[in-house]
Each structure stands twice: as structure tokens, then as C-alpha cells.
Amino acid sequence: MKLIVGLGNPGRIYAHNRHNIGFMCLNHFAKTHGIRFAQKQGQARIGMGKAAGNKLLLARPQTGMNLSGQSVSRLVKKFNISLDDLIVIHDDLDLPPGKIRISQGSSSGGHKGVESIIAHLGSADFIRIRVGIGRPVFAEGSTKDKEAEIIDYVLSDFAPEEKKTVAQVIPKVSEAVLCLLSEDLTTAMNKFN
């Protein structure tokens, strides 16, 4: 069984935030494969189904982004998931909007949700699909510290001009997931990175 996790924050007020692109991508994948998030287990909304000949467990942790590892580690243990069979989809400040990167075993890059998963699993050796959201442009003379500006940025909704890009990248992430399921990591990296 493959465990595919989309990272985000639960609740309507966060639904369209940049930080929730992982939820958005997983929702699209689930919808295209007829999988509903009908259950709650391991502090997550989960759905089960099949795609590309694989049994799938899809999960949206409900812990809040920075505690995602609590949920992911519970699901990994409960369903006996190998780290090679774990795919995590999340936002990335260092990629421009519309770009995706697939990797395995890389550092968190400062992403608190990924840091939490690595800490709870005791390993970074899982597959990640990073979805670019770009970095904020800091206002000149701003008295806010950079960390506070980044938090405000990731917890804000996509700007109208970004929504077109987001609408194009979400199905692309679903294609990348299918490629990972039907082919292999190297093929998916060559095709989508």
C-alpha cells in the first residue's frame, strides 16, 4: 500500500492559502480517482482506493501544518507503510509558482511540516513532491521581521494572477503521482523536475 499525504492546515479559513497547496493537490488526485476522505484515523482525514494497480491510502493531517509528523507517523505505523511507499506533497518557497520538484531523502529546507515528519519518522527517506509558491517580496522599510512576513505570506491566499498558474500545476502534480505509482522515482524526476 502507498500512503500519499497532502500537507496543509485544516479549516475553511486556510482552504485557499499558499500553505495548503498540498491539500489542494491531494483533493484533485482523490477526485479524479473517485476516492473520498470519508474517515478519520491517525489525526487525519483519510480515503482509500486504487490507482495504477496500487492500493492507496490518501491522508490530509488535521494536526496543523507544524505538527504533521504526529499524524504521518501514526498512519505509517498503523498501516505498516515502508518509507519508500510514502509520498508527501507540500508547498515550497524556494520554487517559483507552477514549478514542481520530486525528491527522496532530502532535508526539510526549513519547511516546518516536513521537519515534523522527519523528526517523528526518524528519517527523511521518503518521496516528496514540492510545489512552488515563490517567496514574498519584502516591502522596503518594513518593520516586520522576515520570519513574520513569510508566515503572513504562506497563510495568505493566492493572488488573482497566481490562480491561473495554480490551476495548471494541480493536475500536473496528479500526473506526477501517477508516474511515481506506475513507473519509478527516476522516471518521475526526469519527467517533472
Side-chain angles (χ1 to χ4, degrees):
M1 182 184 279
K2 307 279 187 188
L3 170 57
I4 307 172
V5 178
L7 297 188
N9 285 305
R12 279 201 184 117
I13 60 165
Y14 300 110
H16 303 289
N17 288 179
R18 291 177 173 90
H19 223 18
N20 273 39
I21 193 78
F23 274 13
M24 294 175 209
C25 291
L26 192 64
N27 288 344
H28 178 272
F29 181 83
K31 196 172 184 181
T32 58
H33 294 282
I35 300 170
R36 292 180 51 235
F37 293 93
Q39 300 173 52
K40 270 188 108 171
Q41 271 192 41
Q43 293 179 284
R45 300 283 319 166
I46 65 164
M48 295 178 139
K50 278 189 168 185
N54 292 275
K55 284 170 73 175
L56 303 178
L57 171 63
L58 308 185
R60 294 186 321 229
Q62 301 296 291
T63 53
M65 177 67 84
N66 296 356
L67 302 174
S68 298
Q70 293 176 5
S71 173
V72 174
S73 64
R74 281 183 175 191
L75 293 169
V76 163
K77 286 178 188 131
K78 181 172 178 59
F79 292 93
N80 198 23
I81 306 288
S82 153
L83 292 192
D84 286 335
D85 292 327
L86 171 61
I87 300 169
V88 177
I89 306 166
H90 65 88
D91 60 300
D92 193 310
L93 286 162
D94 294 323
L95 289 174
K99 296 287 181 200
I100 67 173
R101 287 285 176 277
I102 301 169
S103 61
Q104 184 173 20
S106 53
S107 76
S108 70
H111 191 288
K112 303 276 192 277
V114 176
E115 275 177 18
S116 175
I117 293 170
I118 292 170
H120 280 83
L121 295 177
S123 173
D125 204 24
F126 51 90
I127 296 168
R128 290 167 47 201
I129 301 176
R130 298 178 292 139
V131 185
I133 59 168
R135 280 197 172 268
V137 178
F138 297 113
E140 208 166 304
S142 172
T143 56
K144 265 186 167 176
D145 69 38
K146 299 285 188 251
E147 183 72 17
E149 288 205 21
I150 286 173
I151 290 167
D152 287 350
Y153 177 76
V154 299
L155 293 179
S156 65
D157 291 357
F158 286 101
E161 65 274 10
E162 294 172 308
K163 287 182 180 172
K164 197 173 186 179
T165 306
V166 170
Q168 292 170 338
V169 79
I170 288 173
K172 192 171 154 190
V173 171
S174 285
E175 288 173 34
V177 171
L178 272 181
C179 187
L180 284 165
L181 295 175
S182 60
E183 302 195 46
D184 57 36
L185 178 65
T186 305
T187 304
M189 287 168 72
N190 289 336
K191 194 170 177 182
F192 292 95
N193 284 4

